[in-house]
Amino acid sequence: MRTIRHLTNSGPDPAAHPAAWERGRLLHTVSLLLEAEGIAPSAIGPDGEPVRTGYRTSEGGRPGQVLVRWVGPRGSGARYEEQEHLRRCQDVLRDWGFDALVVRGPGRRHHVEVEAGHG
């Protein structure tokens, strides 16, 4: 990502904000950055239910927005760990210049709302 930013962004610190390439592939970019930091994604079984605890990304409610949730199999305790893990996700994404905010959504579950901001 740093190389893409240095080649395509301008200004005094081209690595400080997301490049157009990242903005156009925000869902994939967010997932790549989280995995690069050692944060494991959740895995889904054949029935569509989580079989491994981790993050899950999805398109947000607005264009240019991605949601990051912390999910796991039933009984895994993922719900009780979500704030800690989502804060780590938030920190990673902010360090890369994204706007990332942990919010409480439906069912009192937390998630991170991510946008590329105005770079």
Side-chain angles (χ1 to χ4, degrees):
M1 293 299 172
R2 283 185 178 80
T3 301
I4 289 170
R5 289 181 181 191
H6 281 288
L7 292 173
T8 61
N9 284 346
S10 60
D13 188 5
H17 58 275
W21 184 91
E22 295 170 85
R23 292 170 191 277
R25 296 160 186 80
L26 190 57
L27 183 67
H28 294 103
T29 299
V30 167
S31 296
L32 286 170
L33 292 173
L34 294 176
E35 285 188 55
E37 289 295 323
I39 302 171
S42 175
I44 305 299
D47 60 356
E49 293 294 316
V51 294
R52 181 176 68 215
T53 302
Y55 76 85
R56 182 182 298 168
T57 55
S58 62
E59 296 290 338
R62 297 186 308 267
Q65 182 185 62
V66 169
L67 302 181
V68 179
R69 292 182 173 83
W70 193 257
V71 299
R74 289 188 189 279
S76 68
R79 144 177 245 125
Y80 304 106
E81 304 170 344
E82 70 185 6
Q83 283 187 329
E84 172 189 349
H85 291 286
L86 291 174
R87 293 247 184 257
R88 181 168 178 227
C89 294
Q90 177 187 37
D91 290 343
V92 166
L93 296 166
R94 282 184 172 172
D95 287 348
W96 278 92
F98 291 91
D99 295 336
L101 181 65
V102 176
V103 298
R104 188 179 304 185
R108 302 183 55 82
R109 297 292 305 262
H110 292 84
H111 63 271
V112 181
E113 293 181 354
V114 184
E115 295 180 1
H118 307 293

